[in-house]
């Protein structure tokens, strides 16, 4: 069953005085099944960031539909959109987006506080997640007191605690060293194995190799896709070859 359905998505930006138009997305269509782990890749300017912003309900398309469990998020009214994001989407960002004046625990609690959940409910959700992510011993610390890997685990906990239908990850390994990156990708695989649907935008071939499917965006369209097969090394090579094909003007995927 498809949890996310993207149909004929188009996004055109108009300059301030209407003098020129920039087409960021021309015709994007794809679906994500419940429990899938999908990576999106593409060169800078390919439209993947615009796509992620639309999927996150942070921007609206010029035309097309985005359905999350059958609900077209494009038509949600502005005053309802923040609550929709909190209740249905979890976010993991490259720069963690943690508040330095809040403890790790309070950062994780923030989306539930905004949803008016009780402290008892917040604690009930936090305990198993923090234990799973190995951050129980840093909950009272502040972001500036912990490592980058621990910050990103806290960000993952914040994304999971709302029990989202879909996690959107934007370059989640971008600010991490290789060891912390490997740990995070292993964590994503474990979370996905538990049934969590994940959609990740990344430049990292290694990060994309951990996904079950990779979509490649070029010139505002889905250019190609790969399903995970063989060893991690073989998947890494297939992704690298596809990126080379895109960079050198290879034929469009059908």
């Amino acid at each position: 069953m498809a949890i996310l359905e993207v149909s004929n998505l188009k996004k055109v930006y108009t300059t301030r005085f209407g003098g020129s138009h920039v087409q960021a997305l021309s015709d994007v269509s794809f679906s994500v099944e419940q429990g899938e782990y999908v990576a999106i890749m593409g060169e800078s300017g390919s439209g993947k960031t615009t796509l992620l912003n639309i999927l996150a309900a942070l921007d609206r398309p010029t035309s097309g539909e985005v359905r999350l469990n059958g609900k077209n998020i494009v038509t949600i009214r502005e005053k309802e959109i923040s609550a929709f994001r909190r209740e249905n989407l979890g976010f993991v960002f490259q720069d963690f987006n943690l508040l330095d004046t809040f403890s790790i625990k309070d950062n994780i609690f923030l989306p539930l506080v905004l949803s008016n959940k009780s402290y008892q409910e917040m604690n009930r959700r936090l305990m198993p997640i923090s234990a799973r992510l190995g951050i129980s011993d840093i909950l009272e610390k502040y972001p500036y007191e912990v490592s980058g890997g621990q910050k990103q685990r806290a960000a993952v906990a914040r994304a999971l605690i709302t029990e989202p239908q879909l996690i959107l990850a934007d370059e989640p390994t971008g600010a991490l060293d290789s060891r912390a990156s490997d740990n995070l990708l292993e964590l994503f695989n474990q979370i996905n194995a538990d049934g969590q649907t994940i959609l990740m935008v990344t430049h990292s071939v290694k990060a994309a190799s951990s996904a079950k499917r990779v979509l490649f965006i070029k010139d505002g369209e889905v250019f190609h896709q790969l399903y995970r097969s063989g060893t991690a090394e073989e998947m890494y090579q297939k992704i690298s070859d596809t990126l080379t094909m895109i960079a050198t003007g290879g034929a469009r995927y059908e």
Side-chain angles (χ1 to χ4, degrees):
M1 174 185 171
I3 188 173
L4 178 69
E5 297 173 280
V6 178
S7 304
N8 307 117
L9 214 58
K10 180 179 179 180
K11 180 65 178 183
V12 178
Y13 292 101
T14 304
T15 57
R16 184 177 177 185
F17 299 107
S20 62
H21 303 276
V22 177
Q23 185 157 302
L25 299 176
S26 55
D27 185 18
V28 173
S29 297
F30 66 93
S31 62
V32 176
E33 299 295 310
Q34 175 73 45
E36 261 201 295
Y37 178 7
V38 179
I40 295 177
M41 302 193 78
E43 297 177 304
S44 295
S46 61
K48 62 185 185 300
T49 299
T50 298
L51 174 61
L52 186 70
N53 286 339
I54 292 173
L55 299 182
L58 296 169
D59 195 2
R60 293 184 184 272
T62 303
S63 61
E65 292 186 346
V66 178
R67 293 189 175 274
L68 186 64
N69 264 347
K71 184 177 182 64
N72 187 4
I73 70 175
V74 173
T75 60
I76 298 174
R77 293 183 295 180
E78 282 295 331
K79 65 180 182 180
E80 299 170 349
I81 201 71
S82 293
F84 175 83
R85 281 196 294 265
R86 285 196 303 270
E87 293 167 6
N88 296 279
L89 302 172
F91 299 94
V92 181
F93 303 96
Q94 176 177 341
D95 57 0
F96 320 128
N97 280 21
L98 300 175
L99 300 174
D100 274 340
T101 53
F102 282 23
S103 67
I104 295 296
K105 178 193 285 186
D106 288 340
N107 268 285
I108 296 169
F109 278 166
L110 189 56
L112 297 185
V113 172
L114 294 172
S115 297
N116 296 314
K117 299 295 184 185
S118 69
Y119 188 74
Q120 290 76 14
E121 172 66 11
M122 291 191 289
N123 260 326
R124 182 191 69 78
R125 295 191 190 189
L126 176 63
M127 292 306 110
I129 292 174
S130 61
R132 175 71 185 277
L133 301 188
I135 56 172
S136 299
D137 58 338
I138 64 165
L139 291 176
E140 301 303 330
K141 292 186 177 183
Y142 288 80
Y144 56 82
E145 298 178 307
V146 303
S147 70
Q150 289 171 320
K151 289 178 185 177
Q152 196 59 296
R153 283 174 175 261
V156 173
R158 181 183 55 195
L160 288 172
I161 203 165
T162 62
E163 300 173 353
Q165 297 185 54
L166 176 67
I167 283 184
L168 298 173
D170 184 10
E171 298 287 359
T173 63
L176 302 177
D177 61 30
S178 59
R179 182 178 178 182
S181 294
D182 289 347
N183 289 339
L184 180 69
L185 295 174
E186 176 58 31
L187 182 61
F188 271 19
N189 279 321
Q190 292 171 12
I191 293 167
N192 176 245
D194 288 341
Q196 178 65 59
T197 310
I198 303 172
L199 184 68
M200 171 177 64
V201 167
T202 183
H203 280 101
S204 167
V205 176
K206 187 171 186 177
S209 299
S210 70
K212 292 179 179 176
R213 179 162 58 113
V214 184
L215 293 174
F216 298 88
I217 304 294
K218 180 181 181 182
D219 299 330
E221 297 185 38
V222 176
F223 176 83
H224 190 52
Q225 66 176 340
L226 289 173
Y227 284 88
R228 188 173 184 177
S229 62
T231 65
E233 291 77 14
E234 289 170 338
M235 187 63 176
Y236 187 102
Q237 189 60 52
K238 288 177 183 177
I239 294 171
S240 297
D241 291 344
T242 302
L243 291 173
T244 300
M245 178 179 67
I246 291 172
T248 56
R252 185 180 183 278
Y253 164 78
E254 296 294 346

